[in-house]
């Protein structure tokens, strides 16, 4: 089958680009012809909240990756749409995560579908964004109206589709495990690489630091006297995408300076395994969520996880079996962390993680995509 993935890839960084590249690899392994139609301009610099949109990592090998799309240039949307319409892929897979992208992606899709051959399937990271703005629903409706079928990676997104599409053709397929971030190494080796003392136990907050991800809740939890009494430190590994001063004020307020390891810059792919292998427990204290790629990295490294009971996170972690699902408050987060260490849960949770991760395969995602394609072919 001739497949085009429309969305970010190298040199752009982040989980969406990583999934597109890994999905392309899976399609190639299954014998399909795949090209990624990437952005040549994803966000104008003045709209981007971080330091840079780009990664220094080497590009994945053997993945056709053409940089074509300009997110803010309507003439470009017409040009890309016409090119894709002419090349007639059997399947165009479009990533949707933000209403800002709706005009570009929706216009391209509108043109492509005129060839009456290509089936358009959206992998929807979000339908309703975490950080809401005026016009979001109108923009999302413009985009979804041009799509034939949808993959939702959380039950919440699956339900949200009904607010925009009447009787959508859709499948639920959990976010697959990220299995390309290096080998699983010993805790001792990881700590040595990060220059951290093995005398302490380590929690990990990983990923871009945005308001909805709840780092402030975790910092408040770290002020719990029971955690202060233990030799527990928190590693914060990820770049600020918001008000850094706010978090620094909390750190000072709760006197956490000596109990944190702050690596608040972008973490290259080659370094990710060191952070996960050094940690005992990965904590995702999100205030809102659909699904999270961080969870799927944690599964790969067999790391127990604490997630909050928001969005689709509770679908992925078995509470008190492979980790914790708690309400998004600092008190509940602290109680779970204390329980984890006081009752030595790591070994049992890790064993369950190893069993559960089998269901998050890449073939499950591709099979659901092709299931939609076959259904659409019958219409």
């Amino acid at each position: 089958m001739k497949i085009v993935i429309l969305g970010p890839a190298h040199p752009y960084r982040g989980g969406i680009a990583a999934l597109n590249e890994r999905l392309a690899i899976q399609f190639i392994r299954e014998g399909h012809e795949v090209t990624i139609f990437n952005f040549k301009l994803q966000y104008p610099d003045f709209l981007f909240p971080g330091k840079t949109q780009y990664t220094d990592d080497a590009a994945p090998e053997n993945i056709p990756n053409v940089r074509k799309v300009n997110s803010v240039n309507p003439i470009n949307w017409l040009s890309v749409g016409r090119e894709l319409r002419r090349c007639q892929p059997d399947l165009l897979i479009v990533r949707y995560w933000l209403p800002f992208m709706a005009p570009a992606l929706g216009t391209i899709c509108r043109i492509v579908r005129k060839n009456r051959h290509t089936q358009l399937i959206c992998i929807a990271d979000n339908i309703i964004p975490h950080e809401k703005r005026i016009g979001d629903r109108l923009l999302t409706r413009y985009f979804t109206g041009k799509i034939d079928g949808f993959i939702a990676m959380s039950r919440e997104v699956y339900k949200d589709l009904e607010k925009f599409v009447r009787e959508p053709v859709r499948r639920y397929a959990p976010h697959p495990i990220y299995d390309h971030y290096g080998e699983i190494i010993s805790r001792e080796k990881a700590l040595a690489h990060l220059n951290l003392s093995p005398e302490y136990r380590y929690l990990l907050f990983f990923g871009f630091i945005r308001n909805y991800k709840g780092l402030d809740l975790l910092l408040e939890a770290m002020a719990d006297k029971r955690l202060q009494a233990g030799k527990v430190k928190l590693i914060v590994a990820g770049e600020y995408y918001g008000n850094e001063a706010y978090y620094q004020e909390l750190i000072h307020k709760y006197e956490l300076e000596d109990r944190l390891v702050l690596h608040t810059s972008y973490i290259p792919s080659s370094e990710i395994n060191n952070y996960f292998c050094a940690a005992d427990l990965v904590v995702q204290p999100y205030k809102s969520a659909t699904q999270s790629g961080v969870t799927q990295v944690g599964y790969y490294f067999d790391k127990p996880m604490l997630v909050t009971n928001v969005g689709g996170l509770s679908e992925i972690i078995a509470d008190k079996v492979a980790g914790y699902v708690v309400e998004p408050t600092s008190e509940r987060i602290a109680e779970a962390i204390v329980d984890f260490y006081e009752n030595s849960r790591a070994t049992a949770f890790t064993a369950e993680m190893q069993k559960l991760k089998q269901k998050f395969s890449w073939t499950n995602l591709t099979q659901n995509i092709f299931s939609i394609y076959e259904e659409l072919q019958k219409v």
Side-chain angles (χ1 to χ4, degrees):
M1 188 175 288
K2 186 176 182 180
I3 300 172
V4 170
I5 299 173
L6 178 58
H10 190 276
Y12 295 103
R13 65 191 198 181
I16 295 173
L19 189 145
N20 288 341
E21 292 162 358
R22 181 60 182 83
L23 179 58
I25 291 170
Q26 185 64 32
F27 280 134
I28 291 169
R29 288 175 179 173
E30 294 177 11
H32 303 287
E33 176 188 342
V34 184
T35 302
I36 298 178
F37 263 53
N38 191 3
F39 288 88
K40 62 181 180 181
L41 189 153
Q42 183 176 215
Y43 302 108
D45 287 340
F46 73 92
L47 291 178
F48 186 71
K51 296 175 183 176
T52 177
Q53 303 176 51
Y54 305 103
T55 178
D56 294 327
D57 296 335
E61 296 180 357
N62 303 319
I63 302 176
N65 175 356
V66 294
R67 298 186 66 187
K68 292 279 186 177
V69 182
N70 183 314
S71 66
V72 297
N73 185 340
I75 295 174
N76 169 269
W77 311 341
L78 300 176
S79 174
V80 172
R82 289 167 184 156
E83 181 176 351
L84 285 170
R85 182 180 64 190
R86 287 193 301 270
C87 75
Q88 291 197 323
D90 301 301
L91 185 56
L92 178 63
I93 297 174
V94 191
R95 295 299 297 279
Y96 187 73
W97 68 101
L98 193 65
F100 172 80
M101 295 296 174
L105 299 179
T107 301
I108 291 169
C109 291
R110 183 174 189 173
I111 295 170
V112 173
R113 67 185 303 161
K114 291 180 181 179
N115 67 20
R116 298 180 181 275
H117 172 77
T118 303
Q119 301 291 351
L120 284 75
I121 296 177
C122 168
I123 298 179
D125 296 82
N126 303 303
I127 288 294
I128 299 173
H130 302 298
E131 298 160 332
K132 299 176 179 60
R133 297 174 178 84
I134 295 173
D136 284 347
R137 286 182 172 270
L138 183 64
L139 290 169
T140 297
R141 201 172 297 279
Y142 174 77
F143 170 77
T144 55
K146 311 301 182 292
I147 300 299
D148 300 312
F150 298 86
I151 292 287
M153 294 187 289
S154 74
R155 298 288 184 188
E156 181 176 4
V157 171
Y158 187 88
K159 293 177 182 176
D160 285 344
L161 284 166
E162 296 175 350
K163 300 173 184 177
F164 295 90
V165 182
R166 184 179 179 182
E167 298 182 354
V169 178
R170 57 186 168 167
R171 300 288 186 277
Y172 166 64
H175 195 306
I177 287 176
Y178 282 130
D179 55 4
H180 58 295
Y181 287 130
E183 63 177 332
I184 300 174
I185 60 177
S186 68
R187 176 179 185 269
E188 292 72 22
K189 184 176 180 180
L191 291 175
H193 181 85
L194 297 173
N195 197 29
L196 298 177
S197 170
E199 295 181 5
Y200 290 88
R201 310 306 301 183
Y202 294 94
L203 307 169
L204 175 64
F205 176 97
F206 186 87
F208 299 134
I209 302 169
R210 308 188 73 153
N211 177 61
Y212 74 87
K213 292 191 175 183
L215 177 58
D216 51 345
L217 299 179
L218 182 52
L219 293 175
E220 291 171 6
M222 289 295 294
D224 188 284
K225 292 181 179 180
R226 293 168 294 177
L227 292 177
Q228 288 181 344
K231 298 188 100 175
V232 178
K233 290 192 176 186
L234 169 63
I235 302 171
V236 179
E239 183 179 332
Y240 286 109
Y241 268 39
N243 187 354
E244 180 178 351
Y246 168 66
Y247 299 101
Q248 292 296 337
E249 289 172 5
L250 288 177
I251 292 169
H252 178 72
K253 175 182 176 180
Y254 295 118
E255 300 180 346
L256 298 175
E257 288 86 352
D258 293 336
R259 301 179 54 227
L260 301 180
V261 179
L262 297 177
H263 289 187
T264 50
S265 58
Y266 180 71
I267 309 300
S269 295
S270 59
E271 292 291 314
I272 288 175
N273 65 334
N274 290 297
Y275 288 92
F276 279 83
C277 293
D280 306 306
L281 182 70
V282 178
V283 184
Q284 296 182 78
Y286 292 10
K287 301 173 185 177
S288 68
T290 45
Q291 66 282 318
S292 170
V294 173
T295 312
Q296 305 313 103
V297 180
Y299 261 111
Y300 173 68
F301 288 108
D302 298 328
K303 288 298 169 180
M305 284 175 273
L306 186 160
V307 302
T308 45
N309 189 21
V310 296
L313 295 182
S314 61
E315 301 166 13
I316 305 301
I317 299 298
D319 185 34
K320 297 184 178 64
V321 175
Y324 299 93
V325 179
V326 303
E327 294 305 309
T329 68
S330 58
E331 292 82 7
R332 300 289 85 78
I333 292 167
E335 286 174 2
I337 295 171
V338 170
D339 177 81
F340 178 76
Y341 285 114
E342 285 189 349
N343 294 291
S344 302
R345 307 283 191 191
T347 300
F349 282 2
T350 298
E352 292 300 324
M353 293 286 295
Q354 292 168 341
K355 296 176 186 176
L356 292 170
K357 71 180 184 180
Q358 302 304 317
K359 66 180 180 179
F360 302 113
S361 69
W362 288 91
T363 54
N364 181 55
L365 177 57
T366 58
Q367 286 169 1
N368 275 281
I369 290 171
F370 291 129
S371 173
I372 292 177
Y373 178 82
E374 291 170 3
E375 180 176 344
L376 294 171
Q377 290 294 96
K378 297 175 183 177
V379 176

